[in-house]
Amino acid sequence: MTFELEHTAAGSAARAGRFTTDHGVVETPVFMPVGTAASVKGVFHRDLVQAGARIILANTYHLYLRPGMDVIEAAGGVHRFCTWDRPMLTDSGGFQVFSLAQCRKLTDEGCRFSSHIDGSRHLFTPESVIDTQRTIGADIMMAFDECPPGDSPRDYAAKSLRLTHRWLERCFDRYASTSPKYGHGQSLFPIVQGCTYPDLRAESALFARQFDADGYAIGGLAVGEPAPVMYEMIEIVNDILPRDKPRYLMGVGTPVNILEAIDRGVDMFDCVMPTRNGRNGMLFTSEGVINIRNLKWREDFSPIDPAGHCFVDTLYSKAYLRHLAVSGEMLAAQIASLHNIAFYMWLVDEARRRILDGTFAQWKRGMVVKLTERL
């Protein structure tokens, strides 16, 4: 994987760049739709491509449990298994182990846990997680880390950080001693942790950068802390991480969060919000946020979003989408999810264009106001 930094916005840390993997080139800033089980819920791959998706995310924890590594390997890796021929990234499963698994036990060795599916017992270690991601075959792999609760006291956050750093060393040792299985390269990103403690965030960023990785991730944010605190942590970390490598803010977030993070030098994002909120009737538009179930849309025959960022925007009206949603029709979730994904794609693409033409700061100020409106 290679990264080219093309331009930095005037008066901002916002960057436009591009990284190249064996499955294609990805221009940044970029949003990655979340395909937890190698499937972005309710959306065909052809529609993801039409919506502008260039890279998607899958999750190690979920694929490890189901369908299992024997199936993924027999298929020839995750790209062939799910017929996605563009770049993919896998989360290490650390967040899912600590948030979904039951009866987990954390030691220096790794984490023992019970599957949320059938209660079966498993062990994730830094080595096994790298081996699993080698078998999955994503272009970008994530190091195994502990994602402590956002409100962790400082002593726990510090203890957790030391464990994450020990695991990180073991992840890179295993990465260096193994090879990709399917003929294409794989990169490994460290994850910077440290909760909301500035000194721990700085320590973690300094520790991570010594591995000279192809890119770096920022984890453990957007977990309940105030947005200004999240932005402060991003600034601290990005002042330390290498300028010539992509920076990935994990699990973030709202359109406003994304613009603020781009303004602070973040290049890559993922979040379940476009699809999860879409399934519940929340639509993000260029004029503000819509709850499509509200009665006010019952006889509104205007397009979902007049700006037309996706083919469904002008194909269906608000009134029709509301009818589908309140009727419990599956098509409502599909349309809303696809619209939201396309809107997120438009947002990061427009941010990139504005960075390159020198108008990002002014455009961002206006967009933040619009994106906070409830229509």
Side-chain angles (χ1 to χ4, degrees):
M1 175 176 166
T2 60
F3 178 68
E4 175 190 358
L5 181 59
E6 298 174 82
H7 190 70
T8 301
S12 169
R15 300 133 52 93
R18 65 181 65 216
F19 62 84
T20 302
T21 76
D22 288 343
H23 281 100
V25 177
V26 176
E27 294 182 333
T28 62
V30 65
F31 180 81
M32 302 178 287
V34 175
T36 302
S39 167
V40 178
K41 283 185 172 57
V43 182
F44 285 107
H45 289 167
R46 67 176 187 227
D47 294 335
L48 285 174
V49 171
Q50 189 167 356
R54 298 180 290 277
I55 176 173
I56 62 174
L57 179 148
N59 183 260
T60 295
Y61 170 87
H62 290 280
L63 293 178
Y64 165 82
L65 291 177
R66 188 170 52 195
M69 291 302 98
D70 55 339
V71 174
I72 297 288
E73 188 159 19
V78 70
H79 290 86
R80 291 182 180 176
F81 181 59
C82 72
T83 65
W84 176 261
D85 61 1
R86 298 184 174 203
M88 290 188 70
L89 178 149
T90 39
D91 184 353
S92 71
F95 178 81
Q96 285 70 30
V97 165
F98 298 110
S99 62
L100 293 180
Q102 301 172 359
C103 303
R104 59 185 181 269
K105 182 178 180 181
L106 187 64
T107 67
D108 202 67
E109 179 188 17
C111 185
R112 297 187 182 275
F113 62 93
S114 298
S115 164
H116 73 286
I117 298 171
D118 60 8
S120 57
R121 298 286 292 165
H122 304 272
L123 170 65
F124 270 6
T125 68
E127 293 80 11
S128 72
V129 165
I130 295 300
D131 292 346
T132 299
Q133 290 184 90
R134 286 294 199 195
T135 298
I136 293 172
D139 302 86
I140 301 172
M141 310 185 295
M142 306 307 299
F144 189 51
D145 64 334
E146 182 189 3
C147 185
D151 59 354
S152 295
R154 194 186 186 288
D155 59 345
Y156 184 86
K159 180 181 178 182
S160 170
L161 189 63
R162 308 292 179 265
L163 180 63
T164 287
H165 288 174
R166 291 194 297 274
W167 284 356
L168 182 56
E169 291 178 319
R170 290 165 56 188
C171 281
F172 270 88
D173 286 345
R174 190 65 155 211
Y175 175 68
S177 65
T178 56
S179 301
K181 292 187 174 185
Y182 309 113
H184 62 265
Q186 292 182 282
S187 297
L188 176 62
F189 284 18
I191 302 175
V192 175
Q193 290 286 356
C195 292
T196 57
Y197 301 99
D199 61 324
L200 296 183
R201 283 287 172 180
E203 177 187 343
S204 190
L206 285 167
F207 188 86
R209 69 173 292 165
Q210 72 177 318
F211 292 92
D212 192 26
D214 290 337
Y216 298 83
I218 306 170
L221 293 176
V223 288
E225 77 281 358
V229 174
M230 175 173 68
Y231 302 147
E232 178 191 359
M233 297 303 107
I234 293 170
E235 291 172 1
I236 290 169
V237 170
N238 281 348
D239 281 345
I240 295 170
L241 292 179
R243 183 174 179 271
D244 60 347
K245 300 292 178 68
R247 301 146 175 181
Y248 164 33
L249 181 59
M250 304 180 73
V252 177
T254 69
V256 170
N257 291 157
I258 288 175
L259 287 185
E260 294 291 358
I262 289 173
D263 196 20
R264 290 161 172 81
V266 175
D267 306 294
M268 302 168 63
F269 303 88
D270 81 280
C271 190
V272 297
M273 191 169 284
T275 47
R276 179 177 291 171
N277 288 30
R279 293 194 301 274
N280 290 298
M282 178 182 285
L283 279 72
F284 301 98
T285 79
S286 53
E287 299 300 321
V289 180
I290 290 174
N291 181 348
I292 201 63
R293 293 176 176 273
N294 285 352
L295 185 62
K296 67 183 295 183
W297 311 116
R298 184 172 182 269
E299 296 184 21
D300 188 328
F301 302 106
S302 65
I304 295 171
D305 188 342
H309 302 308
C310 179
F311 69 89
V312 297
D313 288 351
T314 53
L315 191 60
Y316 303 110
S317 69
K318 296 184 184 73
Y320 179 61
L321 182 53
R322 179 187 181 275
H323 158 68
L324 294 176
V326 299
S327 301
E329 291 289 336
M330 289 189 295
L331 184 58
Q334 291 178 279
I335 292 172
S337 296
L338 184 55
H339 160 81
N340 281 346
I341 289 171
F343 177 77
Y344 270 62
M345 295 303 166
W346 170 83
L347 188 70
V348 294
D349 287 348
E350 185 66 8
R352 173 184 168 82
R353 187 178 77 81
R354 297 287 184 161
I355 292 167
L356 291 171
D357 72 12
T359 61
F360 174 79
Q362 180 180 358
W363 171 80
K364 177 231 167 185
R365 284 194 297 271
M367 281 304 302
V368 165
V369 173
K370 285 186 177 182
L371 293 172
T372 55
E373 290 289 327
R374 294 277 178 162
L375 302 179

